[in-house]
Structure formats: C-alpha cells, structure tokens
Amino acid sequence: MTMHRVLIGPSILSANFRRLGEQIAEVEAAGADFIHVDVMDGVFVPNISIGLPVLEAVRAATNLPIDVHLMIVEPERWVERFARAGANTITVHVEEHPNLYSTLRAIDAAGAEPSVTLNPATPIVMLEPVIPIVRQVLIMSVNPGFGGQTFIPASLDRLRRVRAMLDEMNPSCRLEIDGGVKASNARRIVAAGADTLVAGSAIYAPDGRIADAMAALRRATTDDEGEAER
Ligand code: DX5
Ligand code: ZN
C-alpha cells in the first residue's frame, strides 16, 4: 500500500526549557515537519505547562508550522491571542465545550487552522458535527496532562473509525495522534490511518540523540521498500 508522507511534530513539553531555542533548532535540523506546543491550565488537566510568551519565543525560533494544543477551559477566550502569537494550527477539546462550532470558526477567522480533539474515553461521535469545518482531528492516545505516558491500544481502533468518518465527510483533513508515540508503534499507528504524529518523550529523551530518535521515527513511518504492514 502506498502511504502519504507522514508529518512528524516534536512536542516541546519534553524538551529542556533551559535550552529551548537549541532544542527546536535540533529537531528542525533532524527533519521535523512542525512543532507541537502543549498549553495546560491546571483546570482542564491536572498540570500547568506554558502559555503565550513561550509560544512567542517558539515562533521567533523557527519557521516551521506551530501546532498549538489547548488543554484549557474556555478556549474560546484565548484562540485569537494564540493565533496572533504565532500558532498555525489550534486544537481545542470537545469536552465541556458548548460553543465548539463557533470556537473553531473563530480560529479560522483569526488565520489559524481549526483542529479538534477528544480525550481517550470521549465517544468519537462527538466529533461528527464539526468534521466538515476542521483541517485536523487529533486523537489523544493518553489522558492529556503529561508527557511520557504509555500509548492506549484502543486508540488504534479509534483512528480507523475516525479515518472512515473523514474519508466520507472531509477527506483532506489531517488525522493526528498524540501520546505515547514511539518508533516501535508508529508503523501500526500510520497503518490505522494517522498521517500526523506528535512525539515528545520519544524525541526529547534525556539520554538519546534527537537526530537518532527522529530518524528512527521517520523510518518507522516510511514505506520506502514496499515493506508489508506489521
Ligand atoms: C499530553 C500532551 C502530549 C505530550 C506527548 O498531554 O498532549 O503532546 O507532550 O508526550 P509523549 O509523546 O511523551 O507521550
Ligand atoms: Zn499535545
């Protein structure tokens, strides 16, 4: 089977923040397609990460597209500011979000690509009403809040089902996966329909070389020898 080129985006959540500029330059040199930025408010998820000033710094450090993942309550209050600070794609969660449709429209109006996601236990039918107006759907394969968690295997079936929904309703929409992605499971993830991979701890491993980790992930997602799916 011919696969499209899979996009790989390091999540800077696992980067060394004392050297964030260098850590971004390193993944860029190693062939990253985009940078994933996790924004957490300590309310929607049990952790606080980074916000607008850090996004501005990331924007100044790279020309790669920046994919902002908002794990915050009331994201509608913030999407314009994140777009202005340099986000190319903005992902919001469906959970407890009565104004989802207008928030996605607001992201589009602010000049960023609207993207929608949901936690591992949220029914995928929740995505259906907004699929026609998004450029990306993100399947969370861990409970959001922390890097370095283990991939939830049921996410593969969720990818397959959402891929079928997209094929029917919005075929050019990207299907992204986030959480526990590694070289050892990336091939199965791509075979299940993901075309956009986020990886934090697998790329920014404290003891490994970033270039090697990126190369291993890239190899796992490239079908260059016509190798059979495993
Ligand atoms: C989790 C974040 C992820 C996280 C992924 O809440 O949304 O983007 O950085 O980290 P890994 O790849 O280590 O699971
Ligand atoms: Zn994320």
Side-chain angles (χ1 to χ4, degrees):
M1 120 194 220
T2 319
M3 290 193 281
H4 296 290
R5 185 172 187 275
V6 170
L7 304 178
I8 299 177
S11 164
I12 59 162
L13 190 62
S14 294
N16 181 342
F17 286 131
R18 287 168 68 191
R19 311 189 283 110
L20 186 55
E22 290 164 42
Q23 296 256 284
I24 290 169
E26 271 193 72
V27 293
E28 188 165 353
D33 296 297
F34 64 95
I35 302 292
H36 183 81
V37 174
D38 288 302
V39 177
M40 306 177 183
D41 65 355
V43 180
F44 184 77
V45 287
N47 196 8
I48 296 177
S49 59
I50 55 177
L52 290 162
V54 175
L55 174 58
E56 284 166 10
V58 175
R59 179 71 291 163
T62 183
N63 290 320
L64 288 177
I66 301 177
D67 179 46
V68 171
H69 178 191
L70 293 181
M71 286 159 276
I72 62 176
V73 296
E74 302 181 355
E76 65 275 16
R77 293 174 52 206
W78 296 96
V79 292
E80 269 165 40
R81 275 173 280 186
F82 278 94
R84 224 178 301 135
N88 298 90
T89 301
I90 299 179
T91 300
V92 294
H93 276 259
V94 303
E95 292 88 6
E96 298 178 54
H97 196 159
N99 307 314
L100 181 59
Y101 196 92
S102 53
T103 303
L104 292 165
R105 284 289 193 216
I107 293 170
D108 196 31
E113 294 184 335
S115 167
V116 67
T117 188
L118 71 191
N119 288 346
T122 304
I124 57 175
V125 67
M126 301 270 291
L127 295 169
E128 213 172 316
V130 297
I131 279 184
I133 62 159
V134 293
R135 293 283 301 126
Q136 174 175 280
V137 171
L138 165 59
I139 297 297
M140 285 307 299
S141 39
V142 298
N143 279 298
F146 302 92
Q149 303 182 77
T150 304
F151 185 85
I152 298 173
S155 312
L156 292 174
D157 193 49
R158 287 162 69 80
L159 281 174
R160 280 187 281 269
R161 284 154 59 209
V162 173
R163 181 84 262 169
M165 289 163 76
L166 295 180
D167 287 347
E168 193 183 318
M169 288 187 273
N170 186 353
S172 64
C173 182
R174 294 191 302 274
L175 181 53
E176 184 177 54
I177 186 93
D178 182 12
V181 176
K182 303 190 167 352
S184 58
N185 60 17
R187 185 171 292 275
R188 270 174 289 147
I189 288 167
V190 171
D195 50 43
T196 304
L197 270 47
V198 174
S201 54
I203 290 174
Y204 287 114
D207 46 353
R209 283 191 55 235
I210 284 172
D212 293 343
M214 278 293 298
L217 258 183
R218 182 68 71 192
R219 266 196 310 278
T221 61
T222 310
D223 200 24
D224 48 2
E225 282 121 5
E227 191 182 336
E229 288 304 315
R230 263 173 279 168

